[in-house]
Amino acid sequence: MLDINKIRHNPEEIKRALLKRMDSVDFTELLEWDAQRRNLIVLNEEKKAKRNKVSDDIPGLKKQGVDVQGLISEMKQLSNEIKENDNILRDIEAKIHNFLSALPNIPADDVLPGGKENNQVIREWGSKREFGFTPKHHVDLATDLGIVDYERGAKIGGYGFWVYTGIGALMEWALLNYFITEHLKDGYTFMLPPHILTYQCGYTAGQFPKFVDDVFKVEASEERENMQFILPTAETALINFHRGEILKEEELPKKYFAYTPCYRKEAGSHRAEERGMIRGHQFNKVEMFQYTTPENSEIALEELVEKAEKLVRGLGLHHRVTKLAAKDCSASMGKTYDIEVWIPSMNDYKEVSSASNAYDYQARRGNIRFRRTNTSKPEFVHTLNASGLATSRIFPAILEQYQQEDGSVIVPEVLRKWVGRDILKREE
RNA sequence: GGAGAGAUGGCUGAGUGGUCGAAGGCGCUCGACUCGAAAUCGAGUGGACGUUCACGCGUCCCGUGGGUUCGAAUCCCACUCUCUCCGCCA
């Protein structure tokens, strides 16, 4: 949610910034509604002030024996006018709210306009491995090793699901353990939130109403506000943890991380080259989240990117960091870095972490504020999130980047204590 | 799922139609006293919106949404949540 005051005072500036990610922006109607709203408020508050004044006087006048019948019927008329104006006001405010809710965040100054084609690679780590043999696809590797069962996954869950079996499940769990251990070392607080959330959670995160059809709904409630859905990312839960609260400045930054599976419909987004684990309906992810003061959010974003990168580096996987152009950022985000790992079979880099600063956009939607001193006015916090990490791209990257000619796969050093072996071999 | 009780400011707790945005207490902030602290005393202490250069002023908010009334924390209706008991179940 953007600040209507900002739009009122700098419509051209906001418009210019939004055009980096939107095809057209027109505030004409919005500003008209805004003016109508404020005029109506002044008018109606004057009427209310009069009503309050007269109503306060009535008991005294009655005591003095003055006939107040005239006043009372006058106030009755006034009350009707007020009620009418309040109805008009409610309609205008609904229009303003709907308009503002649909606007995405303002891209940061250093974010380039346009879509994917304008994403910038900031840095790379490692390099593409030269295979002395024909490398295999992770689906074939995993199937041959017997660590992921795609066929039975589809049989029991439908298309887009798989089953980690035996050592595969151990590998998956090892990754999660590795992430969790690192975040704990850095002083982040471990959270295990509900996986089923209310509509309001999706709204605060900035995912609803636009993407309400991309999630799995639990209750087919007629009223949208009463629906519940299975979370598409732990971010949706963590942004809502402090919804409606006023935090103390000394509590900030709040640093959380959560493990949850993520559930996404991904309707219409399946592509042949993304077979396997690259885009499923359910994947495991550890998500980092921070609530900060406005002045500290830029630094926090760098910290989150660095943490995510460190995890990928720790696994020894070739990857790069990209700064997303405006249209490629999620609507709630003002700035996003993606960490992308190399997938040899695709000869492409796929996102394993997305680190974003929402600035006060989500905080406004969720009314999450903080106070600097006991007496100062509450201000909106800034919120940031970053995957740390999603396993569903890391798992294939490990299989493919660490595969050997005989189809075995070397286990990254940091995972060995949990997997209990150095190498994954077929005969196991 | 059934029955009952409740929801008031940071907390506690009064208030059942007319200066109640809300007594009292606790907490917190500032000040006085003190070498300092404690105790004591004094003052202050919610949010949103609008208006104003500013001081300020106005409107709204006592779980949420409606209604009655000149006037609602207080009366009526619906809903939500919490607690207790019973049933069912992991």
Side-chain angles (χ1 to χ4, degrees), chain A residues 291-412:
Chain A
Y291 295 77
T292 74
T293 57
E295 61 272 22
N296 287 330
S297 71
E298 284 297 337
I299 285 175
L301 180 60
E302 300 306 319
E303 175 186 309
L304 289 171
V305 177
E306 167 56 24
K307 272 176 62 62
E309 279 184 86
K310 205 170 89 186
L311 292 174
V312 188
R313 283 203 301 271
L315 291 164
L317 296 171
H318 169 44
H319 65 279
R320 66 183 193 187
V321 182
T322 302
K323 184 157 87 177
L324 299 190
K327 274 188 192 174
D328 208 22
C329 297
S330 324
S332 305
M333 302 306 166
K335 189 198 256 191
T336 297
Y337 294 103
D338 271 4
I339 293 166
E340 302 168 318
V341 72
W342 180 52
I343 306 285
S345 64
M346 302 175 80
N347 192 24
D348 200 359
Y349 295 84
K350 299 303 288 184
E351 171 196 332
V352 290
S353 177
S354 196
S356 304
N357 190 347
Y359 301 104
D360 64 358
Y361 185 90
Q362 292 177 320
R364 281 180 187 279
R365 289 173 89 98
N367 199 25
I368 308 165
R369 294 168 296 172
F370 76 102
R371 225 192 280 273
R372 293 184 192 273
T373 69
N374 266 335
T375 50
S376 54
K377 253 180 109 68
E379 300 171 47
F380 290 107
V381 299
H382 280 194
T383 57
L384 304 98
N385 72 287
S387 346
L389 303 164
T391 61
S392 51
R393 305 270 169 82
I394 289 289
F395 199 103
I398 290 174
L399 294 184
E400 294 193 14
Q401 288 196 31
Y402 280 102
Q403 64 178 299
Q404 312 208 81
E405 192 163 11
D406 63 356
S408 64
V409 171
I410 294 168
V411 178

Side-chain angles (χ1 to χ4, degrees), chain A residues 31-276:
Chain A
L31 292 173
E32 270 170 30
W33 294 333
D34 181 53
Q36 283 172 19
R37 170 176 174 271
R38 285 182 305 145
N39 286 337
L40 201 53
I41 284 176
V42 172
L43 180 77
N44 222 26
E45 285 187 353
E46 278 168 7
K47 287 180 191 285
K48 284 179 181 174
K50 181 170 182 197
R51 181 182 66 185
N52 289 344
K53 176 73 171 59
V54 174
S55 291
D56 281 349
D57 290 345
I58 284 177
L61 292 172
K62 264 186 179 168
K63 256 183 212 160
Q64 295 169 32
V66 180
D67 178 23
V68 292
Q69 275 316 307
L71 277 180
I72 287 180
S73 56
E74 199 184 314
M75 288 308 104
K76 189 169 194 147
Q77 172 62 26
L78 189 61
S79 274
N80 286 336
E81 288 172 32
I82 289 170
K83 204 171 289 178
E84 224 169 276
N85 284 339
D86 275 338
N87 285 334
I88 299 171
L89 194 58
R90 196 179 316 160
D91 290 345
I92 294 175
E93 290 185 333
K95 282 195 269 188
I96 292 174
H97 183 260
N98 288 340
F99 187 97
L100 289 178
S101 297
L103 285 180
N105 203 347
I106 297 170
D109 289 342
D110 60 328
V111 168
L112 292 177
K116 275 186 182 16
E117 68 282 359
N118 288 343
N119 290 354
Q120 298 166 282
V121 176
I122 306 271
R123 54 185 170 265
E124 286 193 37
W125 186 91
S127 57
K128 292 182 182 176
R129 177 180 162 197
E130 299 286 343
F131 294 96
F133 54 93
T134 308
K136 290 184 182 165
H137 190 278
H138 71 268
V139 170
D140 302 321
L141 286 163
T143 304
D144 291 348
L145 289 167
I147 60 175
V148 180
D149 195 325
Y150 288 94
E151 278 192 28
R152 291 193 178 92
K155 177 170 75 179
I156 64 180
Y159 179 74
F161 292 91
W162 56 82
V163 182
Y164 298 97
T165 58
I167 305 300
L170 264 187
M171 274 283 286
E172 178 74 1
W173 217 245
L175 282 168
L176 297 170
N177 271 318
Y178 164 53
F179 302 153
I180 290 168
T181 306
E182 293 300 312
H183 297 320
L184 287 174
K185 272 188 209 162
D186 291 335
Y188 283 58
T189 304
F190 191 10
M191 313 281 270
L192 289 171
H195 296 182
I196 294 176
L197 304 175
T198 59
Y199 180 88
Q200 179 65 41
C201 292
Y203 176 80
T204 299
Q207 293 146 354
F208 296 170
K210 199 173 175 190
F211 295 112
V212 72
D213 291 326
D214 292 359
V215 297
F216 292 101
K217 292 165 196 70
V218 176
E219 299 243 8
S221 172
E222 287 301 312
E223 288 170 66
R224 184 187 256 179
E225 277 66 28
N226 293 332
M227 75 76 125
Q228 288 177 301
F229 63 99
I230 316 184
L231 47 63
T233 161
E235 173 203 346
T236 317
L238 293 176
I239 177 64
N240 282 280
F241 190 67
H242 290 299
R243 189 177 73 216
E245 296 182 18
I246 300 179
L247 305 169
K248 293 185 182 132
E249 186 181 14
E250 59 264 29
E251 295 178 84
L252 301 175
K254 284 200 175 285
K255 300 183 178 186
Y256 297 127
F257 73 97
Y259 156 69
T260 68
C262 302
Y263 301 90
R264 301 181 181 178
K265 281 196 165 173
E266 302 288 3
S269 59
H270 298 291
R271 292 184 296 160
E273 69 267 29
E274 288 185 336
R275 77 189 182 97

